[in-house]
Amino acid sequence: MPAHPCDTGRLSAVGRLSVIGNISRDRPRYPDRAAHEQLGGAALLVALAAVRAGMPAAPVAVVGDDLAHLPGAVVLEGLDWTALGIQNGVSASFSLNYDTAGGLVSVVTEYGVAVQGTEHALRHVEAHLDDAYHLCCRRPLDVARLLDVLVSRAGRFSVDFFLPSAQELIPRAVPWLHSAAFVFVNLSEYRLLAEAVDISALPELVITDGPRGARVLVRGVPIAASSPPIPVDGEVTGAGDTLAGTYLARRHAGAEPDIALSAGVAAASAHIRSLPLPVPTPLVTHAVHDARPTDGSFRCTTSPTDCSPPMTGS
């Protein structure tokens, strides 16, 4: 059932959040840490966060043979794998280089079968018009085509961006952004957004600023802010996706923006403290529970050795 805005600023509940984006093998690198590979991609991380916050969610993405076993390997009640497309070939991979402060310096990307993501997502939208949608505006998706369909055919939707491609994709998204229920950006992306669109035309804008927290603007007016209570050190890849998924789930459930933002900031902090999701092998199942440990880590149904951190390498 589509959600409709109420005069209190609350949202009525929706059945499922479909998250359009990538699922990938991520290789974050920091100057002071050993390199490792982990399971990532905004479609998965936003969906996982939404599910943990109480909203069923489906990643809408295309992966290759190397991740074809994901539906049986990453298990969480409410996580719907029916929108996953599997094609012959390799999944997307991202090598993300950070500075010592956790700032993203550069990204090396191989898209693999993710280049088929736009057509896959368009078919999903046409078949599931009653879902709420979140579009992770990333290459190689055709953001303009997807937004045009979401505005004309689907109901409530939201968007976020990724700094390495934001300068290209924000201008492409501008004609449809005023129709988005929520827009998520970090501070650097916000500067690009403010050059491209009238911020007062956006119904609800969430701006994150790393360890300094996040704030919400409604039609350009600040209405909420939240910061983590203590400094957090750990894996920052996916923290913004986690905040977005949590915020969306809480807002769709009827929470006010300040409550949803506090929940999102807390979830992002827990994500940073937790062990990253390893890339599972076909024989390993990772059962991720909504009753997540206080350190934010996942739990497995297999032996303790399968729950250890990913192996490091060059």
Side-chain angles (χ1 to χ4, degrees):
M1 172 174 74
H4 299 281
C6 303
D7 57 9
T8 61
R10 294 179 180 269
L11 302 178
S12 57
V14 297
R16 180 176 70 171
L17 178 68
S18 281
V19 186
I20 301 172
N22 296 318
I23 296 178
S24 56
R25 308 173 76 109
D26 291 349
R27 304 179 184 93
R29 293 184 172 89
Y30 299 83
D32 55 349
R33 304 181 208 171
H36 65 272
E37 184 176 65
Q38 65 191 51
L39 185 62
L44 175 60
L45 296 175
V46 172
L48 280 173
V51 170
R52 289 192 184 106
M55 184 176 189
V60 184
V62 177
V63 299
D65 305 300
D66 54 328
L67 294 180
H69 55 285
L70 276 182
V74 179
V75 180
L76 176 62
E77 184 178 358
L79 183 64
D80 184 349
W81 283 112
T82 60
L84 183 69
I86 300 171
Q87 298 291 334
N88 293 329
V90 296
S91 303
S93 64
F94 295 85
S95 296
L96 304 113
N97 298 301
Y98 294 94
D99 59 27
T100 53
L104 185 61
V105 176
S106 64
V107 179
V108 178
T109 305
E110 301 208 7
Y111 295 118
V113 298
V115 296
Q116 302 177 52
T118 298
E119 298 301 328
H120 174 73
L122 289 172
R123 290 191 295 269
H124 178 82
V125 173
E126 289 295 338
H128 301 280
L129 296 177
D130 286 342
D131 282 10
Y133 280 89
H134 181 73
L135 175 60
C136 307
C137 296
R138 312 281 196 277
R139 303 188 190 104
L141 293 174
D142 188 333
V143 169
R145 285 182 66 196
L146 288 165
L147 284 171
D148 191 55
V149 169
L150 289 174
V151 170
S152 62
R153 301 283 291 147
R156 183 170 295 273
F157 72 94
S158 53
V159 301
D160 71 54
F161 295 92
F162 182 46
L163 185 57
S165 58
Q167 189 165 11
E168 171 190 348
L169 297 185
I170 286 176
R172 292 187 187 178
V174 163
W176 299 275
L177 289 183
H178 66 281
S179 298
F182 311 101
V183 176
F184 296 85
V185 291
N186 66 24
L187 188 59
S188 296
E189 294 157 1
Y190 171 73
R191 297 187 181 107
L192 296 171
L193 184 69
E195 293 176 356
V197 68
D198 179 4
I199 297 300
S200 66
L202 302 180
E204 194 160 320
L205 175 64
V206 180
I207 306 167
T208 61
D209 190 15
R212 288 163 291 279
R215 54 197 168 110
V216 179
L217 278 60
V218 171
R219 301 290 180 186
V221 178
I223 64 163
S226 181
S227 299
I230 57 174
V232 179
D233 183 32
E235 179 53 67
V236 300
T237 303
D241 300 324
T242 300
L243 186 150
T246 305
Y247 187 89
L248 288 169
R250 294 300 177 90
R251 288 291 282 128
H252 281 300
E256 297 290 352
D258 59 333
I259 302 300
L261 187 65
S262 294
V265 169
S269 297
H271 172 86
I272 293 172
R273 292 194 303 269
S274 71
L275 296 174
L277 277 173
V279 177
T281 66
L283 299 180
V284 176
T285 298
H286 298 289
V288 189
H289 299 281
D290 51 4
R292 207 176 188 200
T294 55
D295 65 356
S297 62
F298 62 88
R299 297 174 182 169
C300 303
T301 59
T302 51
S303 67
T305 56
D306 292 323
C307 296
S308 59
M311 296 184 63
T312 58
S314 58

